[in-house]
Amino acid sequence: MINASPIFVIAFAGLLHASFQLGVALLTMLSGHSLGSHRSFHKLMRLNVAYLFGASTITILLFCGLAYLTLLGYSTFSQLAWLVPAILNMAIGLSVIIFYYRRSKGTGLWIPQTMADYLSKRVKKTDHTGEAFTLGAGSVLAETPFLIGPLSVAILYTLSADGSDMQAISMLVYCLIALSPLLIIVALVGSGQKISKIQRWREDNKLFLQYAAGSGLVILGTFVFVDQFLGGNL
């Protein structure tokens, strides 16, 4: 087996989670619309924090819920439990490289245009913290088909960790890294940074983010396959 600390693998999986952009896109839209509507700074930050709290809550619930389901059959299907996420990450990585971003100017994502229009309308109508919370939670759920890849790997390595304390630390590391882009944007908006600068950075670096995320998922899947599936059979 390859000698690698599980916490580094979990952190890398969290970094790949963080590279997906739907949550970031909706948060920047929410902030931009709030500023364009001349809402007070206090209300802008309340909406942003509520959005962040919604995304954080669903991320943690997804991690814990999938970990519980995995734990039910973990001892019986240990080798299969490593093979499935290995193949899953490779497949998701290739799909990210192929079609995660639309082939046009701007930062349009893979989601259908009707869904994009609906989310845009929801953002414009978001005026209360409860709505912002729901929007943040929905952004995570909408990208679950992609997030399931790094999540599954992080969960298996977390369950393999020694002791409940190490498992709790592993989950905390993953969630903090996965949510770091949202935390950074909330902090930047709170410090007075312009939304246009954040959006321009996303546009300038979208190809890098796309190929880095896609190739990273392929690398992660290959690593798990060699480290745990093949290694476990040696």
Side-chain angles (χ1 to χ4, degrees):
M1 295 176 67
I2 300 172
N3 184 19
S5 173
I7 199 70
F8 290 115
V9 180
I10 293 168
F12 182 62
L15 187 62
L16 293 174
H17 180 136
S19 66
F20 293 110
Q21 292 291 300
L22 182 58
V24 170
L26 292 179
L27 181 56
T28 53
M29 285 175 61
L30 178 63
S31 299
H33 179 70
S34 296
L35 291 171
S37 301
H38 303 291
R39 290 171 178 159
S40 67
F41 177 78
H42 178 68
K43 186 166 187 177
L44 165 66
M45 292 308 298
R46 280 197 300 134
L47 291 175
N48 282 2
V49 170
Y51 180 98
L52 173 62
F53 188 58
S56 303
T57 300
I58 293 300
T59 300
I60 294 170
L61 288 177
L62 270 178
F63 193 103
C64 294
L66 292 174
Y68 177 75
L69 292 176
T70 303
L71 192 59
L72 293 177
Y74 182 75
S75 59
T76 306
F77 306 103
S78 57
Q79 289 306 110
L80 183 60
W82 290 108
L83 177 61
V84 171
I87 296 175
L88 189 62
N89 275 274
M90 294 180 201
I92 293 174
L94 291 175
S95 68
V96 168
I97 292 173
I98 294 170
F99 67 81
Y100 186 74
Y101 279 102
R102 292 181 180 275
R103 297 184 181 278
S104 59
K105 291 184 178 180
T107 53
L109 300 178
W110 59 274
I111 57 177
Q113 190 59 48
T114 53
M115 184 178 179
D117 293 340
Y118 170 77
L119 290 173
S120 178
K121 291 177 182 178
R122 288 307 311 157
V123 168
K124 292 178 181 179
K125 293 180 180 179
T126 299
D127 195 47
H128 302 286
T129 54
E131 294 172 328
F133 178 94
T134 303
L135 191 65
S139 70
V140 178
L141 292 175
E143 283 209 308
T144 301
F146 293 101
L147 301 180
I148 194 68
L151 262 173
S152 61
V153 170
I155 286 168
L156 287 179
Y157 274 94
T158 297
L159 294 177
S160 302
D162 295 327
S164 57
D165 289 344
M166 191 60 195
Q167 290 178 348
I169 291 172
S170 297
M171 184 188 74
L172 183 62
V173 166
Y174 179 88
C175 291
L176 282 176
I177 295 176
L179 295 165
S180 59
L182 301 182
L183 288 165
I184 291 171
I185 290 176
V186 171
L188 288 174
V189 173
S191 65
Q193 291 292 326
K194 293 182 178 179
I195 300 298
S196 58
K197 288 185 177 180
I198 299 173
Q199 183 63 17
R200 190 178 305 115
W201 185 92
R202 292 183 61 232
E203 291 181 13
D204 292 342
N205 294 277
K206 73 173 187 177
L207 289 180
F208 170 78
L209 292 172
Q210 179 177 5
Y211 290 112
S215 59
L217 286 166
V218 173
I219 291 170
L220 181 63
T222 304
F223 173 84
V224 172
F225 182 78
V226 174
D227 183 48
Q228 295 294 336
F229 186 73
L230 291 184
N233 285 304
L234 295 179

